[in-house]
Structure formats: C-alpha cells, structure tokens
Amino acid sequence: MTTTRKAPNALLRAAAGWRADQIADPVERLRFLRHTLGDRCIWDPRSDVGQAFFRSRRTSMVVALIALLLLPAGTMTSASRLWKRGPIVTVQANETGPETFPSVWLVEANPGFETYSNGLRIERRYEIANEPRKYPVFRRGDEDAGPVEERTAPSGIVFHTTESNQVEFAEDKTKTIRRVGAQLLEFLQHEHAYHYMVDRFGNVWRVVRETDSANHAGYSIWADNRFTYVNVNRAFLGISVETITQPGEAKAQATPAQIHALRVLTEMLRAKYKISTADCATHAQVSVNPDNMQVGYHYDWASNFPYVAVGLPDNYAVPAPGLWLFGFTYDPSLVQVTGQAFWRGLLLGEDQLRQNATAHGLDVAAYRKELEKRYRKVLSRMKTKTELSKENKG
C-alpha cells in the first residue's frame, strides 16, 4: 500500500512562497521549500511557491537545476547530522553591499581633551585604564568549531543609557544637572563602566580607554554576516547616554545635543576601527541571561534609539542573533516594554529559528536544544567557572 502526501493548503503555500522569496541563495531557498512543502509544489510553475523559487535576484533556472542535482535526497531527520551541514540563515537586513567608512581624523590631543575633524571633542578628565582588550571571534554558524581568531581592536559599538536619576532639563536647574553629571562620572570611573558617556549637554566624556575592555555588556551576543561575538563586553565599545529609557515612549529621551554628540562620536569610532554599521546595536538587543536562556536581560534602548539621526541604519530590523543562533527565548513582557521597534527583531529572530529548524528536519524544540548545546560549548571556552559566574549576564 502506498500513501500520497497531501498537498499543502493555499495559505501554507502562500506563506512558504513569501518566506522563500526572502532567501537570496537558490540552494538554501530550495532546501527550505523542499523540507516545508515537498518537490511537487516547487516544480509547478503555476503555483506561488514555484514562482518564488524561480524568481531569483542572483541566479537563473540553470543554476537552480544544478543545485538540485547536488542536494542529498530525502528529508534530514537526525540531529546528529545537524552541524555537518551547518545552519541555513538569511542575510543580515542591513548588510546588503560594500560598506564605506567616514573620514575622521585627530586634530589635537592633550591631557585634558581631544578634538577631531568632524567637530567631536572628547573630555579626558575621568579617563582611566582597565584590563587590555582581548577576545575570541567565531565564524557565524560554525561557532562550535572554536574561535577563528583573537582580536584586540573593538569590532562594534553598544549603545546604553545610564538609567540614572534625572533632574528636570531646564535653565534654572543647570548647576544641579552639572553636579549630578559629575557624580555619575565618578561612579562610572569607579566601576570601569563604559568607554564613553554623553552628558545631558552633549559633552562626550571618555571613561575607559578604547584599548581596554569596560564593564558594560557581559557575555552578550551579537552577529554580523561573517562573525559571531559571544563576549560583547570585550569585543565592543560601550557608549552610554545620560538618560532613562522610558517604556512605551514614542520618541527618544536623548536631547538634540546628545544625539549630535552620538553621531560625531560614532563617526570617529567607525572611521578609526572600521566598524561596520551592522555591528552597532543597543544594549537590549545584545543582552542575554544564560541562566534562563532568555534575551533582553537589560532593557536600555530596547526601543527609541535614534538610529537614523545618529547616521546608522535601523538595526532594530535585524533578527535577534541570540534567538536563532543559540536558541534563546524571551519573556513576553519584553514585547510590551519595547513596542514595535525591538519587537520586529524578536519576531524575525523566531521566524529565522523556525525556518532553520524546518530546513534541518527538526521541530523547533529539538532544534533549540541543539543550539543551546552549541552555546554552552562556546561559553565554556570563554573563561573559568569563577569568572563566568561573575560576568555571565549581559
């Protein structure tokens, strides 16, 4: 007795066709469609799924046919074969072509301040040293193979808010605002927290030297098109804005002077270290808690970060790497706090996870367990157990 696979309904075909059209690589597109709907629907040129497969930005039907011949027959169902093929992933939303970097150079430097060609001035009164930066970098999707290199230069930027007590921003409160800001800087210096702090008047203060790591993001997670960073605390520079993130607010809490300062500071750092715009993210976006395997351990800049005003693409549209690379989940309250901005990254991250699980022939729960094993393996290589217990939350 033989059985015939029931044809997928129209809604499923339409959804699969839409998802397939987002996958640029024809081989990966075909794998996704075969595992989701089977071959019959793919090769029907009248179907939306068939049209999605053949509608390609980078390939022709001939290339697709060759790709089909190279694919293994059958559906993969064994988790033991998961890492031999590697995860099927999409391209980061904001990495679509060659990147250009700003041209910014140092104009003057003395013990008190530095000035740069784009108008940036950095105050150095509170500048201190810390532990020299050194961190491993993993190839994205192949993290369990171990680091591909070690770096000492920063690879990205994490934007924070100080979440400190605020004084009304008014002219008659100027002295109080300055006093509170000075007290905050003294505290940050003592804690070796952040590389830079932007006060409420837009002054840029260096706290920890760029050559050293600062205590600002723990074992947070981020990834670009090539690499995965599992120790953002060391891998990225930390910039904090003296303000409070207000849940549900529709606009940024930063003052116009702070936004301008963020823009010129980010320009300088990107020019100096060739930092990609894809590696500029907020603390909420990179933050994780390995204890409960949830992202969003910290909420600062979970929404409202002025990406466009700072001269960056809206990286809230990037699928949250912690979800689809290592199987993290998130507390539903995070959606309520973040609103529509960061919510997109969470939904896209979960969608990516489901797509990869389907491509590997696993249900989401089983696939997530395999990803968590990968994360634990990577994390165990980072530091000793004592160090991990002190610094494991982002």
Side-chain angles (χ1 to χ4, degrees):
M1 178 178 178
T2 59
T3 58
T4 303
R5 183 178 179 181
K6 186 177 180 181
N9 62 43
L11 180 60
L12 177 58
R13 290 200 309 271
W18 179 85
R19 282 301 306 148
D21 198 32
Q22 313 305 308
I23 305 174
D25 189 293
V27 177
E28 308 300 3
R29 185 186 308 112
L30 180 55
R31 283 175 175 163
F32 168 69
L33 289 171
R34 289 186 71 186
H35 285 300
T36 305
L37 301 174
D39 290 332
R40 184 176 179 182
C41 290
I42 298 173
W43 297 112
D44 183 356
R46 297 167 299 176
S47 71
D48 44 10
V49 174
Q51 293 173 17
F53 173 62
F54 289 112
R55 181 170 60 250
S56 172
R57 291 165 290 188
R58 302 193 305 168
T59 190
S60 65
M61 184 184 296
V62 174
V63 176
L65 288 170
I66 295 173
L68 176 61
L69 295 175
L70 295 176
L71 287 175
T75 302
M76 180 175 291
T77 58
S78 172
S80 64
R81 299 175 61 189
L82 178 62
W83 309 126
K84 292 182 180 180
R85 192 171 71 185
I88 295 174
V89 297
T90 56
V91 177
Q92 290 280 77
N94 293 322
E95 282 193 19
T96 56
E99 185 158 20
T100 58
F101 297 94
S103 177
V104 181
W105 62 91
L106 179 67
V107 174
E108 181 181 1
N110 60 56
F113 63 87
E114 295 173 1
T115 59
Y116 290 82
S117 60
N118 64 346
L120 171 66
R121 175 181 168 119
I122 296 174
E123 305 295 337
R124 304 183 63 182
R125 188 186 315 168
Y126 295 92
E127 181 180 322
I128 56 173
N130 199 21
E131 185 179 354
R133 178 186 294 101
K134 186 178 182 181
Y135 60 96
V137 176
F138 300 85
R139 193 169 303 284
R140 195 186 78 171
D142 196 24
E143 293 84 3
D144 55 329
V148 293
E149 63 181 351
E150 283 196 335
R151 296 180 185 173
T152 56
S155 295
I157 299 170
V158 176
F159 299 102
H160 302 256
T161 65
T162 59
E163 302 294 350
S164 51
N165 293 328
Q166 296 288 280
V167 178
E168 181 187 2
F169 195 65
E171 183 177 359
D172 62 344
K173 300 291 192 300
T174 298
K175 289 184 178 180
T176 305
I177 295 171
R178 294 186 63 180
R179 176 174 53 80
V180 170
Q183 292 172 345
L184 175 60
L185 282 163
E186 291 173 356
F187 172 77
L188 298 181
Q189 182 189 54
H190 179 267
E191 297 295 320
H192 297 84
Y194 313 127
H195 293 89
Y196 288 99
M197 195 274 275
V198 180
D199 71 21
R200 301 184 73 191
F201 299 109
N203 298 310
V204 178
W205 301 85
R206 182 179 291 142
V207 182
V208 175
R209 295 174 183 170
E210 295 167 10
T211 55
D212 301 343
S213 62
N215 303 324
H216 68 101
Y219 278 84
S220 299
I221 296 171
W222 191 249
D224 53 35
N225 261 359
R226 299 180 60 196
F227 300 109
T228 299
Y229 307 95
V230 188
N231 190 346
V232 173
N233 200 58
R234 290 181 176 271
F236 285 25
L237 295 164
I239 301 175
S240 193
V241 180
E242 186 186 3
T243 188
I244 295 178
T245 299
Q246 299 290 352
E249 288 290 335
K251 61 181 180 179
Q253 297 298 308
T255 66
Q258 287 176 318
I259 293 175
H260 172 75
L262 282 171
R263 186 183 185 97
V264 293
L265 176 58
T266 300
E267 284 179 349
M268 184 277 287
L269 294 173
R270 290 193 60 234
K272 186 174 183 178
Y273 298 106
K274 299 298 182 286
I275 293 173
S276 170
T277 57
D279 290 321
C280 298
T282 71
H283 193 193
Q285 289 177 276
V286 305
S287 178
V288 301
N289 183 352
D291 291 344
N292 60 14
M293 287 298 292
Q294 289 186 347
V295 301
Y297 181 69
H298 292 277
Y299 283 5
D300 48 324
W301 287 130
S303 62
N304 307 332
F305 183 76
Y307 271 116
V308 175
V310 176
L312 297 169
D314 181 5
N315 281 340
Y316 286 126
V318 173
L323 271 64
W324 64 269
L325 271 177
F326 294 118
F328 279 76
T329 60
Y330 59 89
D331 190 289
S333 64
L334 184 61
V335 174
Q336 299 175 357
V337 171
T338 63
Q340 292 297 318
F342 189 35
W343 191 0
R344 283 180 295 159
L346 297 175
L347 293 180
L348 290 170
E350 288 224 313
D351 183 56
Q352 186 66 70
L353 175 72
R354 287 191 295 269
Q355 177 184 327
N356 290 357
T358 300
H360 288 298
L362 297 172
D363 62 47
V364 172
Y367 184 67
R368 179 172 273 127
K369 288 182 180 179
E370 294 299 318
L371 294 179
E372 182 176 348
K373 290 178 183 177
R374 167 180 282 189
Y375 174 70
R376 298 297 182 189
K377 183 177 180 180
V378 171
L379 195 62
S380 68
R381 292 173 171 171
M382 302 294 290
K383 277 191 174 184
T384 67
K385 291 184 180 180
T386 300
E387 291 170 317
L388 286 172
S389 66
K390 293 180 179 178
E391 199 179 5
N392 66 352
K393 299 181 180 70

